[in-house]
PDB file of all heavy atoms in Angstrom:
ATOM      1  N   SER G 288      21.847 235.721 137.211  1.00  0.00           N
ATOM      2  CA  SER G 288      23.095 235.972 136.491  1.00  0.00           C
ATOM      3  C   SER G 288      24.205 235.107 136.932  1.00  0.00           C
ATOM      4  O   SER G 288      25.303 235.563 137.483  1.00  0.00           O
ATOM      5  CB  SER G 288      23.528 237.314 136.490  1.00  0.00           C
ATOM      6  OG  SER G 288      22.515 238.156 135.826  1.00  0.00           O
ATOM      7  N   ILE G 289      24.108 233.678 136.898  1.00  0.00           N
ATOM      8  CA  ILE G 289      25.112 232.854 137.508  1.00  0.00           C
ATOM      9  C   ILE G 289      26.137 232.359 136.329  1.00  0.00           C
ATOM     10  O   ILE G 289      27.068 231.622 136.652  1.00  0.00           O
ATOM     11  CB  ILE G 289      24.464 231.653 138.149  1.00  0.00           C
ATOM     12  CG1 ILE G 289      23.616 230.829 137.170  1.00  0.00           C
ATOM     13  CG2 ILE G 289      23.637 232.040 139.323  1.00  0.00           C
ATOM     14  CD1 ILE G 289      23.222 229.447 137.721  1.00  0.00           C
ATOM     15  N   GLN G 290      25.923 232.785 135.155  1.00  0.00           N
ATOM     16  CA  GLN G 290      26.881 232.431 134.059  1.00  0.00           C
ATOM     17  C   GLN G 290      28.412 232.861 134.411  1.00  0.00           C
ATOM     18  O   GLN G 290      28.539 233.876 134.968  1.00  0.00           O
ATOM     19  CB  GLN G 290      26.511 232.829 132.704  1.00  0.00           C
ATOM     20  CG  GLN G 290      26.437 234.356 132.478  1.00  0.00           C
ATOM     21  CD  GLN G 290      25.138 235.009 132.827  1.00  0.00           C
ATOM     22  OE1 GLN G 290      24.281 234.396 133.519  1.00  0.00           O
ATOM     23  NE2 GLN G 290      25.004 236.329 132.540  1.00  0.00           N
ATOM     24  N   ASP G 291      29.264 232.074 133.956  1.00  0.00           N
ATOM     25  CA  ASP G 291      30.730 232.427 134.245  1.00  0.00           C
ATOM     26  C   ASP G 291      31.121 233.693 133.512  1.00  0.00           C
ATOM     27  O   ASP G 291      31.868 234.440 134.098  1.00  0.00           O
ATOM     28  CB  ASP G 291      31.583 231.251 133.746  1.00  0.00           C
ATOM     29  CG  ASP G 291      31.301 229.893 134.427  1.00  0.00           C
ATOM     30  OD1 ASP G 291      30.670 230.064 135.540  1.00  0.00           O
ATOM     31  OD2 ASP G 291      31.706 228.941 134.003  1.00  0.00           O
ATOM     32  N   MET G 292      30.727 233.906 132.346  1.00  0.00           N
ATOM     33  CA  MET G 292      31.053 235.109 131.622  1.00  0.00           C
ATOM     34  C   MET G 292      29.720 236.011 131.599  1.00  0.00           C
ATOM     35  O   MET G 292      28.775 235.632 131.006  1.00  0.00           O
ATOM     36  CB  MET G 292      31.382 234.845 130.169  1.00  0.00           C
ATOM     37  CG  MET G 292      32.652 233.917 130.075  1.00  0.00           C
ATOM     38  SD  MET G 292      34.109 234.772 130.434  1.00  0.00           S
ATOM     39  CE  MET G 292      34.262 235.815 129.043  1.00  0.00           C
ATOM     40  N   LYS G 293      29.891 237.145 132.207  1.00  0.00           N
ATOM     41  CA  LYS G 293      28.719 238.061 132.249  1.00  0.00           C
ATOM     42  C   LYS G 293      28.235 238.525 130.803  1.00  0.00           C
ATOM     43  O   LYS G 293      27.099 238.751 130.624  1.00  0.00           O
ATOM     44  CB  LYS G 293      29.009 239.230 133.154  1.00  0.00           C
ATOM     45  CG  LYS G 293      29.319 238.883 134.611  1.00  0.00           C
ATOM     46  CD  LYS G 293      28.178 237.868 135.148  1.00  0.00           C
ATOM     47  CE  LYS G 293      28.396 237.340 136.562  1.00  0.00           C
ATOM     48  NZ  LYS G 293      27.518 236.406 136.965  1.00  0.00           N
ATOM     49  N   GLU G 294      29.325 238.813 129.893  1.00  0.00           N
ATOM     50  CA  GLU G 294      28.929 239.021 128.623  1.00  0.00           C
ATOM     51  C   GLU G 294      28.760 237.708 127.789  1.00  0.00           C
ATOM     52  O   GLU G 294      29.658 237.320 127.097  1.00  0.00           O
ATOM     53  CB  GLU G 294      30.077 239.987 127.949  1.00  0.00           C
ATOM     54  CG  GLU G 294      30.020 241.343 128.372  1.00  0.00           C
ATOM     55  CD  GLU G 294      28.811 242.089 128.172  1.00  0.00           C
ATOM     56  OE1 GLU G 294      28.144 242.004 126.990  1.00  0.00           O
ATOM     57  OE2 GLU G 294      28.255 242.754 129.030  1.00  0.00           O
ATOM     58  N   ASN G 295      27.678 237.072 128.045  1.00  0.00           N
ATOM     59  CA  ASN G 295      27.405 235.691 127.643  1.00  0.00           C
ATOM     60  C   ASN G 295      26.389 235.862 126.350  1.00  0.00           C
ATOM     61  O   ASN G 295      25.136 236.044 126.574  1.00  0.00           O
ATOM     62  CB  ASN G 295      26.825 234.907 128.664  1.00  0.00           C
ATOM     63  CG  ASN G 295      26.624 233.389 128.154  1.00  0.00           C
ATOM     64  OD1 ASN G 295      27.215 232.931 127.255  1.00  0.00           O
ATOM     65  ND2 ASN G 295      25.851 232.650 128.973  1.00  0.00           N
ATOM     66  N   LEU G 296      26.823 235.723 125.144  1.00  0.00           N
ATOM     67  CA  LEU G 296      25.899 235.792 123.943  1.00  0.00           C
ATOM     68  C   LEU G 296      25.963 234.608 123.247  1.00  0.00           C
ATOM     69  O   LEU G 296      26.945 233.762 123.108  1.00  0.00           O
ATOM     70  CB  LEU G 296      26.506 236.978 123.042  1.00  0.00           C
ATOM     71  CG  LEU G 296      26.521 238.323 123.691  1.00  0.00           C
ATOM     72  CD1 LEU G 296      27.271 239.270 122.570  1.00  0.00           C
ATOM     73  CD2 LEU G 296      25.218 238.791 123.997  1.00  0.00           C
ATOM     74  N   THR G 297      24.783 234.151 122.683  1.00  0.00           N
ATOM     75  CA  THR G 297      24.582 233.071 121.793  1.00  0.00           C
ATOM     76  C   THR G 297      24.058 233.474 120.514  1.00  0.00           C
ATOM     77  O   THR G 297      23.074 234.230 120.444  1.00  0.00           O
ATOM     78  CB  THR G 297      23.692 232.007 122.399  1.00  0.00           C
ATOM     79  OG1 THR G 297      24.346 231.438 123.628  1.00  0.00           O
ATOM     80  CG2 THR G 297      23.488 230.911 121.462  1.00  0.00           C
ATOM     81  N   ARG G 298      24.735 233.057 119.407  1.00  0.00           N
ATOM     82  CA  ARG G 298      24.314 233.389 118.105  1.00  0.00           C
ATOM     83  C   ARG G 298      23.394 232.289 117.618  1.00  0.00           C
ATOM     84  O   ARG G 298      23.817 231.084 117.578  1.00  0.00           O
ATOM     85  CB  ARG G 298      25.410 233.580 117.095  1.00  0.00           C
ATOM     86  CG  ARG G 298      24.866 233.965 115.660  1.00  0.00           C
ATOM     87  CD  ARG G 298      26.029 234.634 114.927  1.00  0.00           C
ATOM     88  NE  ARG G 298      27.046 233.760 114.458  1.00  0.00           N
ATOM     89  CZ  ARG G 298      27.162 233.302 113.194  1.00  0.00           C
ATOM     90  NH1 ARG G 298      26.445 233.657 112.273  1.00  0.00           N
ATOM     91  NH2 ARG G 298      28.206 232.463 112.982  1.00  0.00           N
ATOM     92  N   PHE G 299      22.049 232.551 117.309  1.00  0.00           N
ATOM     93  CA  PHE G 299      21.188 231.597 116.751  1.00  0.00           C
ATOM     94  C   PHE G 299      20.967 231.864 115.314  1.00  0.00           C
ATOM     95  O   PHE G 299      21.034 233.080 114.772  1.00  0.00           O
ATOM     96  CB  PHE G 299      19.759 231.822 117.433  1.00  0.00           C
ATOM     97  CG  PHE G 299      19.797 231.237 118.888  1.00  0.00           C
ATOM     98  CD1 PHE G 299      20.109 232.084 119.940  1.00  0.00           C
ATOM     99  CD2 PHE G 299      19.233 230.002 119.061  1.00  0.00           C
ATOM    100  CE1 PHE G 299      20.030 231.529 121.193  1.00  0.00           C
ATOM    101  CE2 PHE G 299      19.184 229.508 120.310  1.00  0.00           C
ATOM    102  CZ  PHE G 299      19.582 230.290 121.491  1.00  0.00           C
TER     103      PHE G 299
END
Side-chain angles (χ1 to χ4, degrees):
S288 301
I289 63 171
Q290 65 271 11
D291 298 342
M292 299 286 290
K293 297 309 175 186
E294 288 299 314
N295 183 19
L296 300 174
T297 294
R298 181 159 73 108
F299 286 84

